Amino acid sequence: MQTITGQYLARYRRLDEGRDAPLLLPATGAQRRFLLVRALDRAGRPDLVPMFFAFPSGTVDPDRLRAAAARLAARHPALRARPSVVRGTPVLRLAEPEVPVTPVARLAGESAEDALRRALAEWAVDGPPMRILLAQDAGGGDPGQAREILAIVLDHAVCDGWSLGRIVAELGAAYDGRDVEEPDRDGADEQLAVYRAAVLAQLDAEERASTPAALDYWGERLRTVREHTAPPVSSATDASSGALRTRLPGVPGGVGFPALLDGCTAAVQALYGAEGGPVPLGYPWGGRPPGAEEVLGCFLNTLVFPAGSDDGAGRDSTTERWWDDLDRADTPFDAVVQAARAAGSPWTGALGGLLTVDDVRDRPALVLGGVPGTETEVDGRPVRGPFAVSVTQGDGLRLRMVWDRAVLADQDAERAFAALTDALRVPEGPVATMVL
């Protein structure tokens, strides 16, 4: 039996025989998921990963930043490879190392955050996968409070959470003229070969993980998963989102992942009801095959957890099975969806929710010209799917939930967020802050 990965590699190799072969890079299973989701989106929207940093006004030199970012892109093939689909085959197409730095002008009545949201909504899918936006915040008319907000934005098809810390560190170093040199032709060719080898090693691991036994496991695991089919609460077309956040007391060593899955299960049941059946909850899981180089853009997989399982064993028993899931974490997402459908699930691959966990205890701050930026959030951006929960482990535990207001009513999302925090059994009751 030929696996989905094997079929993909056969199609890619046929492309690789053409005149554009040197410009086309293979895509991992994780990258294929993002490209196919974009292709199925009516508006063709990509999944974007923005990082926002606030600096005192006048800190950032746009020309210097643009040159630094271009040197960074020249070193990393993923940052100059534009996600594409060629004859039905997802690939990354190499282009020149270009990272636009765009000042975002505020319209009348707009805040800096409003202007950034508008710029992100206008993202052109055929441009570079990494771009930088810069908006000025007048600080309410107080010159001492004026600041500029820098948004480093990446197409999710070329980055994961581990990549973000490395990008921040190397961008700051390049801005200061340290460590990051633009490679010559021989160096660029060598980096491209290293990247290609890492992706092929990842694809080899995915093919080996798509055994009949693994597919049978995922088919049974997700056999009863279904998509939430309730009509949207709004016919709005503006893709606005709501957000809630809170900070919980820290726990030595961080909160265990099974507890976070439990919390998301409680949120799902608050949203859809205990009798609503399992909802597919996705979570990224990183890692690389043994011996593979740690290159930007080559990463594992979105795993699927059946939140709110109706297998009769109870929520805690279901959550504990995530250990068994990790034994099969290399099975690519598209193969997992196919296995679930073969087992009788009507699931098409859309996620009912997403959980991401980020440990910032070792992440460097973005420092430009000796000035550290303060990482911040710009809420209200479009959300892929009904809701997403992000957990930041650091000095305490920061929880943030965002939702699509065309799909979930604010009061339902608030109830789900309360169930999430309650499930984590925090000794001091947190107070959530609504962000409109």
Side-chain angles (χ1 to χ4, degrees):
M1 178 190 74
Q2 190 175 29
T3 66
I4 284 180
T5 302
Q7 294 169 6
Y8 169 77
L9 280 169
R11 294 198 307 272
Y12 169 74
R13 285 171 181 140
R14 285 196 292 271
L15 294 178
D16 204 32
E17 296 170 356
R19 62 182 180 182
D20 289 340
L23 302 177
L24 301 181
L25 296 173
T28 68
Q31 291 168 328
R32 294 200 305 272
R33 183 179 86 83
F34 287 116
L35 291 172
L36 291 173
V37 166
R38 176 191 304 182
L40 293 172
D41 186 290
R42 291 181 180 179
R45 297 173 302 164
D47 288 88
L48 301 180
V49 183
M51 297 180 287
F52 301 97
F53 299 91
F55 288 89
S57 183
T59 298
V60 181
D61 180 333
D63 292 335
R64 184 175 170 187
L65 183 60
R66 185 179 298 107
R71 290 200 299 274
L72 187 66
R75 288 192 66 197
H76 298 291
L79 297 185
R80 55 187 177 93
R82 303 186 180 189
S84 182
V85 177
V86 178
R87 299 204 295 274
T89 304
V91 294
L92 300 182
R93 182 186 291 274
L94 282 175
E96 291 300 313
E98 174 192 6
V99 181
V101 177
T102 306
V104 180
R106 292 159 48 196
L107 302 179
E110 274 191 331
S111 66
E113 290 81 1
D114 291 335
L116 288 169
R117 277 189 288 268
R118 175 171 50 80
L120 288 169
E122 295 169 353
W123 178 282
V125 296
D126 57 351
M130 177 177 171
R131 306 173 208 180
I132 298 176
L133 307 173
L134 185 63
Q136 301 295 326
D137 183 354
D142 181 353
Q145 299 297 317
R147 60 179 188 161
E148 45 198 8
I149 302 178
L150 185 69
I152 302 172
V153 192
L154 294 111
D155 189 310
H156 210 333
V158 303
C159 79
D160 59 356
W162 169 85
S163 303
L164 300 180
R166 184 168 174 183
I167 288 169
V168 166
E170 293 190 7
L171 183 61
Y175 187 88
D176 289 345
R178 298 178 288 108
D179 300 332
V180 180
E181 297 293 335
E182 186 171 350
D184 57 20
R185 175 60 184 269
D186 290 341
D189 288 346
E190 180 180 355
Q191 288 162 354
L192 183 58
V194 169
Y195 179 85
R196 188 186 295 268
V199 173
L200 291 174
Q202 177 62 51
L203 289 168
D204 179 64
E206 293 174 9
E207 186 168 24
R208 287 185 283 106
S210 299
T211 63
L215 297 178
D216 287 346
Y217 172 88
W218 283 115
E220 181 58 30
R221 178 81 161 120
L222 303 175
R223 176 178 52 82
T224 56
V225 159
R226 65 175 185 82
E227 292 170 19
H228 182 60
T229 55
V233 299
S234 168
S235 59
T237 59
D238 63 356
S240 65
S241 64
L244 286 165
R245 65 167 65 94
T246 192
R247 185 186 182 92
L248 309 183
V251 177
V255 175
F257 195 76
L260 299 176
L261 287 175
D262 258 348
C264 286
T265 293
V268 163
Q269 291 180 340
L271 283 173
Y272 305 127
E275 304 303 320
V279 173
L281 178 77
Y283 62 92
W285 196 259
R288 287 160 178 80
E293 293 286 339
E294 292 187 340
V295 298
L296 291 184
C298 179
F299 54 94
L300 283 182
N301 216 346
T302 298
L303 272 66
V304 185
F305 172 74
S309 174
D310 62 357
D311 63 2
R315 192 182 77 204
D316 292 340
S317 173
T318 303
T319 302
E320 289 172 2
R321 289 188 61 186
W322 83 285
W323 289 103
D324 297 326
D325 296 346
L326 295 189
D327 289 337
R328 299 159 182 86
D330 284 348
T331 309
F333 186 89
D334 42 14
V336 169
V337 176
Q338 186 181 75
R341 292 182 65 82
S345 170
W347 180 45
T348 65
L351 295 173
L354 184 69
L355 168 65
T356 59
V357 183
D358 193 12
D359 190 333
V360 299
R361 286 171 288 193
D362 296 325
R363 177 182 291 182
L366 177 62
V367 180
L368 299 179
V371 180
T374 301
E375 192 159 4
T376 185
E377 288 287 352
V378 174
D379 292 305
R381 296 177 285 109
V383 178
R384 177 83 71 187
F387 77 94
V389 171
S390 62
V391 179
T392 302
Q393 308 259 25
D395 182 14
L397 186 75
R398 287 178 292 182
L399 297 179
R400 181 170 174 267
M401 176 175 166
V402 297
W403 64 93
D404 184 344
R405 281 184 160 140
V407 178
L408 297 179
D410 286 348
Q411 61 267 29
D412 293 334
E414 292 169 32
R415 186 174 66 253
F417 190 73
L420 167 68
T421 55
D422 184 62
L424 294 176
R425 297 181 178 88
V426 179
E428 301 174 9
V431 178
T433 302
M434 183 69 153
V435 182
L436 298 175

